[in-house]
Amino acid sequence: MLLTISYRGDDPGDLGYLLHKHPDRVHDFDLPVGDAHVFYPELDATHCTAALLLEVDPIELARSSRFRGDAGTLGHYVNDRPYVSGSMLAVALGSVFRTAMTGRCDARPELAASPIDLRIGLHAVPLRGGADLAERLLAPLGWRLEVSEALLDERFPEWGPSPYASIALSGTMRLGEALRQLYVLLPVLDDAKHYWVADAEVDKLLRAGEGWLPQHPERELISRRYLAHQREYVAAATARLAELDQGSAGLPEAATGQEETAEERVRPLNRLRADAVLTALDDVGARTVADVGCGPGALLARLAVDPRFTRIVGTDVSPATLETAAKRLGLAERSDAQRERITLYPSSVTYQDDRIAGLDAVVLMEVVEHVEPERLDALARSVFGLAKPASVVVTTPNAEYNALYPALAAGAFRHPDHRFEWTRAEFAAWAGAVGGRYGYRVEFRAVGEADPLLGPPTQLALFRKEATA
């Protein structure tokens, strides 16, 4: 399977920075789906082309228990899976270009955030759903298409056209967004996946579809095919996409009636909050992380797909919620090694729990406001005094920002289970006192677009353990 990405620009070698792969090297990757190679067949004064080549061993594929097929049929052994640009290439794309898909490039941040002149080549793409399927899926996103079709066998024209085609895409788009579109649409064009679909796929779909899928005219078709026609998952994805399209998914805490801008609809607050937490974890170089009060596993799902996190712990007071998180993460379908990497167990943030002691980071994302004020000292002692992680990330609503939600009564909280909501000064006072008591220095960050007077909708504190003499 082959995918090529070409860039025209003043300094075309910048494509190497955007993809985080140096043009002067061949980059090799041993992936669950096969051996992937990234190389640059073209680099001159005006053009740069990067190629992703995926080699799949059909014998190993047939032996693998992960292959989504009926082992009792000949089709399990004789099929087109190793040769067509479908879900296996999408998995390779997501693994090899994971950072590029997020749109992050510290070396060229302005370029990563800007639309650039791209040309993408896809070869041996299955088109299951009509000759116009590629046009229906890709043209609404702004791509210009050249679809090259051929006869199944030129010696037997009566057999008709081949179900495979080569597709050349050209357009001006942010590279990260283009990669996320391909990650979703490659298996959609094929209408097949090589692995069993679990409910974690819903979150993967919404993450990769952020910014383009909610408004896509074929979003229902895309959801059905990406989720392998699993009714429960399709219904969940359809509902969440509809909310995003209407702009009502920005605040998971309550239906506030806030009139959101188009950009806020594209990047809901819960997404921005998780992004900010992941950025903080990246800044401190965390590899072992506990999400305390993890809920149904939204943050855990994002940690799980990043191989940099070698140990992931999720705790919550509700066993039922942890069961939901386990399903979301697809733990039952993961290998033994993957299940050892991710641990879920019931626990309370206000009690000592040695199982989270000594980690690189503990995350309390929208947790503290659910604790009774008189129990906050117990929370601080449990996390900062006993677990003693190298870093702690805390997010909580900014109570001042509530005035911007017309449907929220004065003095009301964003969620009925909140025990309090802090102003910026109150949060700073609590965080400063806790940091001073337990030997952490504190950095405050804004999450979401800040109002000039009332501040951001969410506030984040990043605690770093002070070095002891």
Side-chain angles (χ1 to χ4, degrees):
M1 306 172 203
L2 179 66
L3 178 148
T4 58
I5 303 170
S6 299
Y7 165 58
R8 295 171 179 262
D10 295 335
D11 190 350
D14 282 343
L15 181 62
Y17 288 103
L18 296 178
L19 292 174
H20 300 265
K21 304 290 182 289
H22 199 287
D24 291 343
R25 290 178 48 204
V26 175
H27 306 263
D28 300 314
F29 305 87
D30 182 12
L31 304 177
V33 293
D35 296 323
H37 314 278
V38 175
F39 55 95
Y40 290 76
E42 178 185 47
L43 175 57
D44 56 32
T46 60
H47 298 78
C48 182
T49 297
L52 169 60
L53 176 66
L54 177 63
E55 298 179 295
V56 177
D57 182 348
I59 304 301
E60 187 63 30
L61 181 66
R63 291 173 177 169
S64 173
S65 61
R66 293 172 56 86
F67 175 54
R68 188 175 186 266
D70 185 353
T73 69
L74 185 62
H76 185 69
Y77 301 93
V78 182
N79 56 72
D80 61 3
R81 298 300 87 189
Y83 314 107
V84 300
S85 298
S87 65
M88 291 185 185
L89 184 59
V91 169
L93 184 76
S95 299
V96 172
F97 296 138
R98 177 180 290 109
T99 304
M101 284 176 60
T102 68
R104 177 175 176 178
C105 179
D106 295 339
R108 300 290 188 273
E110 298 84 2
L111 191 62
S114 304
I116 60 176
D117 185 3
L118 291 172
R119 185 176 178 87
I120 295 176
L122 302 169
H123 308 276
V125 180
L127 296 180
R128 309 190 195 279
D132 67 336
L133 179 63
E135 185 79 19
R136 287 161 51 201
L137 294 178
L138 292 158
L141 300 173
W143 292 109
R144 298 181 297 277
L145 287 80
E146 297 177 15
V147 180
S148 300
E149 298 178 279
L151 292 174
L152 186 63
D153 191 322
E154 293 182 355
R155 297 172 300 172
F156 303 97
E158 64 273 16
W159 289 359
S162 168
Y164 310 104
S166 294
I167 301 175
L169 305 175
S170 57
T172 303
M173 188 173 301
R174 293 190 298 272
L175 178 62
E177 187 170 26
L179 294 175
R180 288 188 289 110
Q181 291 170 1
L182 294 174
Y183 178 79
V184 171
L185 295 179
L186 281 170
V188 170
L189 288 164
D190 190 13
D191 196 14
K193 283 200 167 183
H194 68 281
Y195 58 90
W196 294 103
V197 170
D199 60 356
E201 294 294 295
V202 176
D203 290 307
K204 288 165 60 177
L205 173 63
L206 268 67
R207 286 197 301 271
E210 180 185 357
W212 61 271
L213 183 55
Q215 295 80 32
H216 198 291
E218 296 286 356
R219 73 183 185 196
E220 293 183 5
L221 172 68
I222 294 171
S223 299
R224 286 198 307 272
R225 289 182 165 216
Y226 185 85
L227 297 169
H229 302 272
Q230 299 292 313
R231 291 184 180 180
E232 178 184 357
Y233 305 147
V234 173
T238 300
R240 291 169 65 180
L241 286 169
E243 290 178 353
L244 288 171
D245 193 26
Q246 295 165 4
S248 61
L251 291 172
E253 296 87 357
T256 63
Q258 178 191 11
E259 294 182 2
E260 297 178 325
T261 66
E263 178 66 15
E264 287 169 330
R265 285 198 299 270
V266 168
R267 298 188 60 77
L269 184 57
N270 53 357
R271 170 75 185 196
L272 293 172
R273 191 161 46 224
D275 287 348
V277 169
L278 292 170
T279 297
L281 294 175
D282 188 45
D283 289 345
V284 298
R287 296 295 179 265
T288 58
V289 180
D291 182 9
V292 175
C294 64
L299 180 63
L300 293 174
R302 297 188 62 177
L303 295 172
V305 299
D306 193 331
R308 293 177 300 174
F309 298 108
T310 57
R311 183 184 174 200
I312 302 167
V313 177
T315 75
D316 200 274
V317 295
S318 169
T321 298
L322 290 173
E323 289 182 8
T324 301
K327 292 178 181 178
R328 187 176 203 159
L329 293 165
L331 291 185
E333 292 80 28
R334 291 180 181 266
S335 67
D336 291 342
Q338 289 173 324
R339 285 196 293 270
E340 290 178 2
R341 175 174 167 254
I342 305 171
T343 307
L344 305 180
Y345 52 79
S347 182
S348 170
V349 70
T350 58
Y351 295 118
Q352 178 177 353
D353 193 333
D354 294 335
R355 293 171 295 186
I356 64 170
L359 298 177
D360 292 338
V362 167
V363 176
L364 302 174
M365 190 170 74
E366 307 299 284
V367 170
V368 293
E369 64 272 11
H370 293 270
V371 177
E372 296 289 351
E374 59 269 21
R375 300 289 293 162
L376 288 176
D377 285 345
L379 177 151
R381 180 175 180 272
S382 168
V383 175
F384 296 88
L386 297 174
K388 298 180 181 178
S391 303
V392 180
V393 183
V394 179
T395 75
T396 191
N398 169 21
E400 298 163 81
Y401 196 88
N402 291 352
L404 298 179
Y405 300 143
L408 197 62
F413 296 151
R414 298 187 197 177
H415 192 282
D417 189 52
H418 286 185
R419 301 302 189 256
F420 62 87
E421 289 178 1
W422 276 321
T423 65
R424 286 169 290 172
E426 290 168 337
F427 184 44
W430 175 82
V434 168
R437 188 184 315 150
Y438 295 105
Y440 288 80
R441 66 183 187 275
V442 190
E443 173 190 346
F444 296 97
R445 300 181 179 184
V447 180
E449 184 175 356
D451 179 82
L453 296 177
L454 302 177
T458 295
Q459 43 194 343
L460 181 149
L462 174 57
F463 297 80
R464 291 182 172 93
K465 188 71 174 174
E466 297 273 19
T468 56

